[in-house]
Amino acid sequence: MSAHRRKPTQTPTTRPRHRPSRRPSHRPSRRRRIGRTLLVTGCALAVMAGGGAWYLYRDLAAGIASSKALEGAEKSKFGDTNILLMGLDSRRDQNGEKLPEEVLDQLHAGSSDIGGYNANTLILLHVPGDGSRAKAFSVPRDDFVDIPGHGKDKIKKAYGLAKERKQEQLAAQGVKDGRQLEREGREAGRRAQIETVRNFLGVPVDHFAELNLAGFHHLADALGGVPVCLNKPVKDKYSGADFPAGPQTLDGRQSLAFVRQRHGLDMGDLDRTKRQQAFLAGATKKLNSAGTFTDPVKLLKLVDAAKQDVVTDAGWDLPAFVKQAKNLSGGRVQFMTLPIERFGRNHGEDINVVDDMKIKRLIAEQIGPKAAASPGAPGAASAPPAPHGASPEASHEGSHEGSPPPSSPSPSYPKDSGGIPCVD
């Protein structure tokens, strides 16, 4: 019994020997609990941030004006997407109202009666379904092409001609509501411009985005400026362009002057298309580098800018494309200006004489199966003779600045330009 009684008295003497081993095992447990707490908190913040971004994406899709201009249109195959970017030379808002005078003064764009509804910027963005490099084709605004229901004219005029015709028809039917006339007129203009480009290039148009003059201004400001690079200094009183040579970041007013300048440039309008390409390249790079897609405040500014100035087709899943757009930055878009044959005149206006079949072959080579097999396909086929039976008057010196180049020279990328191509 005595031996039995001693055993309980021995256990307190053994416990102190085990206590030091328990404390170290207890401390990692606390650390694990703290780590789990931080992890859960971090996940919660991430979900909240993601939810906020998704809300803004939904707000973007719901807030931008939409159009039915592409209803029933043919779609691209193999997962490819063709997007037509249309920049209107309009000094009016989406309801047809004049922009405020202080805005016009800031835009350095002149009276609201100037410009009409010409589509001065036409760029077809081809996004391959296989994830390969996207390509953007600039269509010079003065290309002399067939406009359905009108005949041959400058490609930029398709929008305004159809809009005016539709409004005259509605007015003859007794429609007097200015907003209805503007809304239905613009829908007719969009359909005509898209059909004209589609017929000229020979490819489907899956989506489109329409932007007015103020849109370049608001987009640049929403991004906190757009980086560009110039090979030489320029100054033009017409557009307000006044820039030094080299890399620089342009605010909204400067960006509009940059994309509008054509006076003082060797190739006039053709050099202006390169400016527009450079602006888009800088904007997409800024979208990614500035963290716009992960910063709700910056994204909100971009959404607000889009609501003011952008119209897209009703079937476009914008939230999905916004995510995809991140993959289009960082030099992943190859820009090209479609070639012209020569300059000409038509009813007293300067035009670009083009070969329709040559353009269609070029587009097919660049975005068709051949382009996928040989990414080094030439940017332009050899120039054929002047189009047979062309209606424009013969080309004459002085109608444009310079002569059309056989192909667009490769852009330069100075070391300090941050990967932004330098243009003239």
Side-chain angles (χ1 to χ4, degrees):
M1 293 294 292
S2 59
H4 178 72
R5 287 173 184 170
R6 288 192 195 102
K7 287 181 182 179
T9 61
Q10 292 174 354
T11 53
T13 62
T14 59
R15 282 176 185 170
R17 289 197 298 267
H18 292 287
R19 282 172 188 167
S21 63
R22 288 176 183 173
R23 285 171 183 167
S25 64
H26 180 64
R27 285 172 183 170
S29 175
R30 289 184 61 188
R31 292 193 187 102
R32 283 196 295 269
R33 285 200 296 268
I34 293 172
R36 283 197 298 269
T37 302
L38 292 175
L39 179 61
V40 171
T41 304
C43 290
L45 290 173
V47 169
M48 289 172 65
W54 177 244
Y55 172 79
L56 291 176
Y57 285 139
R58 291 181 59 190
D59 188 45
L60 171 66
I64 290 182
S66 62
S67 163
K68 296 181 180 180
L70 277 175
E71 280 191 348
E74 178 189 0
K75 298 296 184 181
S76 296
K77 299 178 180 178
F78 311 115
D80 293 354
T81 304
N82 292 329
I83 303 166
L84 179 62
L85 308 176
M86 299 190 296
L88 295 186
D89 191 24
S90 173
R91 278 75 165 165
R92 295 176 179 268
D93 63 19
Q94 294 180 11
N95 296 316
E97 302 293 335
K98 295 181 179 180
L99 294 174
E101 290 299 326
E102 59 271 18
V103 175
L104 291 173
D105 290 342
Q106 191 174 17
L107 298 183
H108 205 279
S111 167
S112 61
D113 295 325
I114 298 175
Y117 288 87
N118 289 332
N120 279 348
T121 302
L122 291 168
I123 298 176
L124 184 79
L125 175 63
H126 174 73
V127 184
D130 61 4
S132 58
R133 192 179 188 186
K135 297 183 178 182
F137 304 91
S138 288
V139 183
R141 65 175 187 165
D142 289 342
D143 283 5
F144 195 69
V145 305
D146 183 63
I147 298 177
H150 173 74
K152 298 204 75 170
D153 214 325
K154 295 182 181 183
I155 195 168
K156 69 178 183 181
K157 290 186 176 183
Y159 192 113
L161 289 169
K163 178 181 182 293
E164 183 178 8
R165 185 166 55 247
K166 181 64 174 180
Q167 289 179 323
E168 289 176 349
Q169 293 173 355
L170 292 172
Q173 297 169 8
V175 177
K176 297 181 180 179
D177 181 14
R179 291 204 170 192
Q180 181 183 352
L181 290 171
E182 182 73 13
R183 182 177 63 253
E184 296 193 32
R186 285 201 177 194
E187 279 291 84
R190 292 168 189 133
R191 285 191 292 269
Q193 191 67 67
I194 293 168
E195 183 180 4
T196 300
V197 172
R198 183 169 54 219
N199 292 346
F200 180 48
L201 302 185
V203 294
V205 174
D206 302 288
H207 301 295
F208 81 90
E210 173 189 306
L211 189 71
N212 64 15
L213 268 183
F216 289 98
H217 181 281
H218 294 146
L219 174 61
D221 280 348
L223 291 173
V226 172
V228 300
C229 181
L230 285 171
N231 287 321
K232 56 186 178 182
V234 295
K235 189 169 185 177
D236 171 36
K237 65 178 182 179
Y238 296 100
S239 65
D242 187 2
F243 309 120
Q248 53 207 286
T249 298
L250 307 183
D251 62 19
R253 182 188 60 79
Q254 293 171 323
S255 294
L256 183 61
F258 180 79
V259 299
R260 291 183 63 236
Q261 184 187 3
R262 63 188 176 93
H263 296 280
L265 302 180
D266 292 340
M267 294 305 303
D269 270 343
L270 297 183
D271 277 343
R272 177 155 70 169
T273 63
K274 296 176 185 177
R275 297 289 189 89
Q276 295 164 357
Q277 295 168 359
F279 175 85
L280 289 176
T284 53
K285 183 177 181 64
K286 189 65 178 288
L287 278 172
N288 193 37
S289 63
T292 304
F293 296 103
T294 56
D295 187 328
V297 175
K298 292 180 180 178
L299 186 58
L300 185 58
K301 289 182 180 179
L302 189 62
V303 169
D304 287 341
K307 287 179 179 180
Q308 295 181 69
D309 311 301
V310 178
V311 178
T312 67
D313 59 286
W316 197 355
D317 184 358
L318 280 174
F321 183 75
V322 165
K323 296 177 182 178
Q324 183 185 22
K326 290 191 292 184
N327 297 324
L328 301 180
S329 60
R332 285 185 55 81
V333 180
Q334 177 185 351
F335 288 93
M336 177 187 303
T337 301
L338 296 180
I340 68 173
E341 302 304 306
R342 57 186 174 86
F343 295 133
R345 299 279 287 179
N346 181 65
H347 298 301
E349 292 186 331
D350 297 329
I351 61 168
N352 301 330
V353 180
V354 294
D355 184 332
D356 295 37
M357 294 309 299
K358 175 181 174 180
I359 295 296
K360 289 181 175 63
R361 288 197 302 270
L362 169 61
I363 295 295
E365 289 171 359
Q366 290 293 318
I367 70 177
K370 292 181 180 178
S374 55
S382 58
H388 176 70
S391 59
E393 304 164 13
S395 173
H396 67 90
E397 294 181 3
S399 61
H400 285 257
E401 299 178 10
S403 301
S407 61
S408 298
S410 300
S412 59
Y413 291 82
K415 291 181 179 179
D416 59 348
S417 69
I420 298 296
C422 278
V423 296
D424 291 331

